[in-house]
């Protein structure tokens, strides 16, 4: 009986075939490596990157596809969604309240400047 001195899989690595979903061509890769997929941003994404002064991202090729907005919340539970909706609702209320309080405070300030505080007109305007 001869002892085994080398692994028979060392000389020839097992080859797999993978399909690149964006280019539809078959790529032969080693079983221990992942396929190299290069994602190039679309024209709309490039335009948005230029508008946001991120020109370096518009010309850069990414190794993975960015996650969409809905993809960020793929694993969100019901409580997460409820808290997000509640937060968005409160942000709308905050956005409405600030100008409303500015109008109210402006009216009070105008009443204090125009009328004497001891007169009846002051109490009527306030």
């Amino acid at each position: 009986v001869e002892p085994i001195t080398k692994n028979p899989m060392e000389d020839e690595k097992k080859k797999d075939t993978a399909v690149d979903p964006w280019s539809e061509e078959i790529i032969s890769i080693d079983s221990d490596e992942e396929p190299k997929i290069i994602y190039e941003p679309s024209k709309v994404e490039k335009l948005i990157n230029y508008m946001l002064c991120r020109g370096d991202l518009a010309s850069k090729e990414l190794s993975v596809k960015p996650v969409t907005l809905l993809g960020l919340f793929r694993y969100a539970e019901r409580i997460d969604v409820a808290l997000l909706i509640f937060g968005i609702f409160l942000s709308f209320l905050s956005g409405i309240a600030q100008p409303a309080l500015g109008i109210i405070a402006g009216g009070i300030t105008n009443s204090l400047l125009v009328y004497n505080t001891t007169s009846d007109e002051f109490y009527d305007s306030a």
Side-chain angles (χ1 to χ4, degrees):
V1 176
E2 293 181 23
I4 299 176
T5 57
K6 66 178 187 175
N7 189 354
M9 294 301 285
E10 278 182 5
D11 289 336
E12 56 185 65
K13 285 190 176 182
K14 185 177 179 182
K15 296 281 186 176
D16 290 336
T17 56
V19 176
D20 183 2
W22 289 279
S23 65
E24 297 296 327
E25 63 185 46
I26 298 176
I27 303 170
S28 177
I29 58 170
D30 291 335
S31 61
D32 58 343
E33 294 179 6
E34 293 187 17
K36 303 289 188 211
I37 299 172
I38 297 175
Y39 172 76
E40 186 174 342
S42 68
K43 292 186 186 289
V44 174
E45 291 170 331
K46 286 182 182 182
L47 177 68
I48 290 171
N49 285 332
Y50 280 124
M51 288 174 35
L52 296 175
C53 298
R54 300 185 306 192
D56 57 332
L57 287 179
S59 60
K60 191 176 195 181
E61 291 183 348
L62 304 173
S63 60
V64 292
K65 185 176 181 180
V67 179
T68 62
L69 186 61
L70 292 177
L72 285 174
F73 303 107
R74 181 181 355 178
Y75 300 109
E77 296 177 1
R78 284 186 173 204
I79 188 73
D80 299 330
V81 173
L83 289 173
L84 280 169
I85 292 171
F86 185 64
I88 291 170
F89 174 71
L90 289 180
S91 69
F92 283 138
L93 286 181
S94 175
I96 292 170
Q98 187 174 4
L101 288 175
I103 292 170
I104 292 170
I108 292 172
T109 304
N110 193 25
S111 297
L112 288 171
L113 292 174
V114 173
Y115 302 111
N116 187 5
T117 55
T118 58
S119 69
D120 291 333
E121 294 173 346
F122 173 75
Y123 291 110
D124 292 338
S125 68

